[in-house]
Amino acid sequence: MSVSLFICPLCQSPLQPAADTWRCDGSLHPKNTSHPFDVARQGYVNLLPVQQKKSKAPGDSQASINARKRFLNQGYYAPLQDLISQKMEVLLSKIESTDEHNTNSVHWLDIGCGEGYYTQAMAQMGSSLIDTLIAADISKPALVELAKVSKAIGHLWYQQNEDSVTKPTAVYPLVTSAAHLPLRPHSITGISSIFSPILPEAFAKVLADNGYLIIAKPDVGHLATLREALFDSVREHDSDKFLQELAPYFTLVETQRVSTDMSLSAEDLADLMTMTPYAYRARSEKRQALLSAVEKSSFNTEAKFVVYVLQRIA
């Protein structure tokens, strides 16, 4: 990359990736000080300064990550993963067809990527659609998991062979804050935010003109029977509430819904509760009573999702 996509989280100077240490040039620092950021042995880079942390270990815990890995590997949310991949392929194919000379690289940001269930599906699209895939999350344990998988299959940015005809999408796992993205303004082709916070101004700042934003949220009725079993009073999901906040920066292009029926064992139900806010919002005795009941017969519920496709206003 002649001009780096990345900027230093400390001084906003251009930040150049390397296999061992990323280093900014210090050009925007008052004393021209260069800041180094070491690449962890697993393959992620920590670009989250201490002053941007709100706790000692922000983001998802290891227990939540492990539960989500087990649950998602069972394929329960595969219909959502497939829908997101389909939407991205349509958008990126459209971009490719309008780029007559194939001069613009496609840089995609998966914000709040967690351990990478959806990110890995994006990476499988190949470099013909995505050149650079930035996987960003505030949870270091989650990025450790994502980086290890990406490294094992040769997808990390420093594993790419420039001479290869069929080089895979280059994955950049970053520990970072969504509110302070270490990315050059207007350098990103698209952003996906799957069950993650929506930050309209921060997203608009890094997206290119007419860049795309894909958002996935729980829909009305998501896990309704589970919530009814855990809570005395159930408040329904308001999936559209953030669209007004996005309106100054984005135009809504499309909305699509997908749902899937699930029959869960006690183990899968325990993992589902652990990977959601229900793990701490529901009373312990309610959770235990439900799990005890499911030991005798499986628990049926329906996952319902809504996916929004938006485009940045130029």
Side-chain angles (χ1 to χ4, degrees):
M1 279 178 263
S2 53
V3 179
S4 180
L5 280 174
F6 306 97
I7 60 174
C8 176
L10 297 174
C11 69
Q12 285 70 59
S13 300
L15 178 65
Q16 192 61 48
D20 52 358
T21 302
W22 292 25
R23 193 179 301 274
C24 78
D25 63 14
S27 58
L28 297 180
H29 190 275
K31 297 182 180 179
N32 289 331
T33 301
S34 174
H35 299 105
F37 302 89
D38 291 338
V39 178
R41 60 181 176 80
Q42 297 92 343
Y44 70 89
V45 184
N46 193 335
L47 298 181
L48 182 66
V50 173
Q51 56 267 38
Q52 291 180 12
K53 290 185 177 182
K54 295 182 180 179
S55 64
K56 187 176 180 180
D60 292 338
S61 66
Q62 189 66 57
S64 176
I65 292 161
N66 291 342
R68 191 163 58 227
K69 280 177 61 180
R70 288 191 297 266
F71 183 85
L72 294 177
N73 285 342
Q74 298 290 331
Y76 290 118
Y77 283 11
L80 175 63
Q81 185 191 58
D82 292 343
L83 177 60
I84 291 168
S85 295
Q86 290 166 14
K87 293 301 172 190
M88 285 181 62
E89 286 182 7
V90 170
L91 296 178
L92 295 173
S93 297
K94 186 186 301 183
I95 291 171
E96 187 179 41
S97 66
T98 57
D99 183 10
E100 294 181 8
H101 304 290
N102 197 26
T103 54
N104 294 321
S105 296
V106 171
H107 309 305
W108 194 277
L109 168 64
D110 189 25
I111 192 73
C113 62
E115 76 296 331
Y117 175 71
Y118 302 96
T119 316
Q120 297 298 342
M122 297 173 194
Q124 295 306 318
M125 294 179 189
S127 59
S128 60
L129 288 178
I130 302 176
D131 299 282
T132 303
L133 180 54
I134 302 160
D137 201 287
I138 203 168
S139 167
K140 187 167 80 170
L143 264 295
V144 168
E145 298 290 338
L146 186 151
K148 286 194 296 187
V149 172
S150 298
K151 186 176 182 179
I153 59 177
H155 272 273
L156 289 181
W157 82 95
Y158 63 75
Q159 297 175 304
Q160 306 308 301
N161 182 355
E162 293 297 328
D163 298 326
S164 174
V165 178
T166 58
K167 62 179 181 178
T169 293
V171 177
Y172 292 74
L174 303 182
V175 180
T176 185
S177 162
H180 305 281
L181 291 167
L183 297 169
R184 181 164 48 84
H186 310 308
S187 60
I188 301 300
T189 311
I191 297 174
S192 48
S193 177
I194 304 166
F195 312 130
S196 297
I198 307 300
L199 301 170
E201 193 170 345
F203 292 174
K205 182 179 178 181
V206 299
L207 266 179
D209 287 348
N210 298 317
Y212 289 100
L213 172 61
I214 293 179
I215 295 172
K217 289 285 187 184
D219 200 5
V220 174
H222 178 63
L223 304 180
T225 56
L226 176 57
R227 288 183 289 128
E228 288 165 2
L230 291 175
F231 301 103
D232 297 329
S233 176
V234 177
R235 187 171 62 181
E236 196 48 84
H237 291 287
D238 184 5
S239 305
D240 294 344
K241 64 181 180 181
F242 59 87
L243 290 177
Q244 189 172 351
E245 300 171 16
L246 288 164
Y249 308 95
F250 295 91
T251 299
L252 180 62
V253 176
E254 182 185 1
T255 302
Q256 190 159 341
R257 289 172 163 82
V258 62
S259 62
T260 178
D261 292 317
M262 302 186 298
S263 181
L264 306 177
S265 67
E267 292 79 9
D268 291 343
L269 180 59
D271 282 339
L272 177 58
M273 286 193 284
T274 301
M275 69 185 241
T276 66
Y278 310 153
Y280 55 87
R281 288 181 185 168
R283 295 201 308 272
S284 177
E285 58 268 28
K286 285 265 193 179
R287 296 199 306 270
Q288 291 306 316
L290 178 57
L291 289 173
S292 296
V294 178
E295 291 288 354
K296 299 174 183 176
S297 61
S298 59
F299 183 83
N300 297 319
T301 192
E302 184 180 17
K304 303 181 76 172
F305 310 105
V306 56
V307 174
Y308 305 90
V309 179
L310 301 101
Q311 189 167 25
R312 186 181 179 277
I313 299 170

